[in-house]
Amino acid sequence: MSKSSVKITTEFIKLDALLKFASLTGSGGEAKALIQNGEVRVNGEVCTMRGKKIRPGDTVALGDNEVTVE
């Protein structure tokens, strides 16, 4: 599994935007599809809400990639 971290300067970032920002997906449309298909986990739980607010300390996983938000 590949682990990395991304730093945000706002209170939160929406899940679909984070996937694109962290280069886990190539586009917002791809992120939306992966989220709706239940392929994304937030803090270990499958999340199908693309607008979910991701805050510092949260971990988002897609396939073998895991990103922690700082």
Side-chain angles (χ1 to χ4, degrees):
M1 178 171 277
S2 170
K3 294 187 177 190
S4 61
S5 64
V6 293
K7 185 169 181 66
I8 61 171
T9 57
T10 54
E11 181 186 347
F12 64 86
I13 185 170
K14 290 186 178 178
L15 180 57
D16 57 351
L18 173 69
L19 293 176
K20 189 174 172 190
F21 180 68
S23 300
L24 294 179
T25 62
S27 69
E30 182 184 354
K32 177 182 173 182
L34 291 168
I35 294 166
Q36 288 179 332
N37 290 339
E39 296 181 44
V40 179
R41 293 181 315 282
V42 177
N43 298 326
E45 302 281 324
V46 171
C47 181
T48 56
M49 299 183 307
R50 69 179 205 195
K52 171 121 176 106
K53 294 177 180 177
I54 306 300
R55 301 176 190 279
D58 286 341
T59 300
V60 174
L62 173 61
D64 288 338
N65 297 303
E66 185 176 281
V67 174
T68 301
V69 178
E70 296 179 354

